[in-house]
Amino acid sequence: MAKGDPKKPKGKMSAYAFFVQTCREEHKKNPEVPVNFAEFSKKCSERWKTMSGKEKSKFDEMAKADKVCYDREMKDYGPAKGGKKEEDPNAPKRPPSGFFLFCSEFHPKIKSTNPGISIGDVAKKLGEMWNNLNDSEKQPYITKAAKLKEKYEKDAADYKSKGKFDGAKGPAKVAWKKVEEEDEEEEEEEKKEEEEDE
C-alpha cells in the first residue's frame, strides 16, 4: 500500500513476482522444510532463468492482467483529500531559516573559489562551515531569521483575515459562498413577489 493513502491501488506485479509468489505457495504446502530467504530467492532466480518462454508465458499473462486491473483502478482513483493544495501566488512566502541565510551569503563565495564544484559538494561544504561556527557566530543569522519569521507571521495573519490564505477560505470557497448568498437573495425576492401577488 502507498504511504499516507491506504486507498491508493497497490503497484502492479511483474511476471517474475507472480512466479516467486507461486513458488512461495508451493513451498507452503511442505511446512516442515525450513525456509532460508536468501537461499529461496536464489533458487527462484535460477529456476526462472532456466524456464522456457512457454513456461514463463503463464506468468506474463498474469502480469498483463494485473497491469490492466491496476490501470483501471488508477483511473478511478482520485488523490486523497488533503492532497497538495494549489498555492496562491499572492500568499506571503515562508521565511528562510538562519542556516539558509548563511548559505545564501556563502554559496557564491564557495562557487567562486571552487569553480566546477558540484551542487552536492557545495551543500556539504556549507553544512560543515555552519557546524563549525560557534553560537555567537550563528547568532546574526538566527536573529535575522527570527525577524523575518515575525514579519511573515504578521503578513500571514493579515492575509488570512482577508480570507485568502487557508484551504478552508481559499478563493474557490469564497466564490462558492458568494454564489450561495446570491441564491438566498433570489429566493427572498421570489417570496416577496409571491406575497405581493396574493
Side-chain angles (χ1 to χ4, degrees):
M1 288 283 176
K3 257 189 186 175
D5 187 6
K7 293 177 184 167
K8 185 172 182 182
K10 279 196 309 184
K12 51 191 176 285
M13 284 174 58
S14 66
Y16 180 70
F18 276 109
F19 168 71
V20 171
Q21 191 177 48
T22 305
C23 291
R24 211 176 285 136
E25 294 301 320
E26 287 174 8
H27 203 279
K28 282 181 183 176
K29 291 176 186 172
N30 194 0
E32 57 270 356
V33 178
V35 179
N36 176 335
F37 182 75
E39 210 172 287
F40 174 77
S41 297
K42 191 176 178 183
K43 283 182 182 176
C44 284
S45 175
E46 288 169 2
R47 192 168 151 198
W48 178 257
K49 287 174 188 171
T50 60
M51 286 174 72
S52 68
K54 189 177 179 184
E55 290 173 306
K56 288 181 181 180
S57 65
K58 171 181 138 183
F59 301 107
D60 289 330
E61 290 302 316
M62 292 167 82
K64 283 178 190 170
D66 189 51
K67 183 186 183 319
V68 168
C69 184
Y70 173 78
D71 290 343
R72 186 176 54 241
E73 287 174 353
M74 282 304 287
K75 201 180 285 184
D76 296 338
Y77 169 73
K81 285 187 177 179
K84 190 172 181 182
K85 295 178 186 172
E86 276 191 41
E87 289 185 30
D88 183 348
N90 301 320
K93 303 288 183 247
R94 286 194 170 273
S97 66
F99 172 67
F100 280 103
L101 291 170
F102 170 81
C103 289
S104 64
E105 184 179 320
F106 285 93
H107 183 272
K109 293 175 185 174
I110 291 173
K111 285 294 274 183
S112 65
T113 56
N114 303 294
I117 189 171
S118 73
I119 294 169
D121 289 339
V122 171
K124 199 181 288 186
K125 204 165 191 64
L126 286 166
E128 288 169 5
M129 288 170 66
W130 177 257
N131 288 333
N132 291 332
L133 294 179
N134 61 38
D135 290 344
S136 64
E137 291 170 320
K138 289 180 182 179
Q139 197 56 49
Y141 302 103
I142 293 169
T143 304
K144 187 174 181 181
K147 285 180 184 172
L148 289 171
K149 185 177 180 187
E150 207 172 281
K151 183 185 180 322
Y152 164 78
E153 286 171 351
K154 183 183 178 299
D155 292 347
D158 290 347
Y159 193 72
K160 251 185 194 178
S161 69
K162 293 175 187 167
K164 295 181 181 177
F165 189 60
D166 190 344
K169 293 183 180 175
K173 299 268 182 168
V174 172
W176 181 250
K177 192 171 183 178
K178 189 176 181 183
V179 169
E180 288 177 332
E181 288 169 358
E182 288 171 1
D183 286 348
E184 286 172 15
E185 288 173 10
E186 285 177 14
E187 286 176 11
E188 285 177 29
E189 286 176 16
E190 287 174 6
K191 281 181 186 176
K192 284 180 186 176
E193 288 174 8
E194 288 174 6
E195 288 171 5
E196 289 172 7
D197 289 344
E198 294 175 2

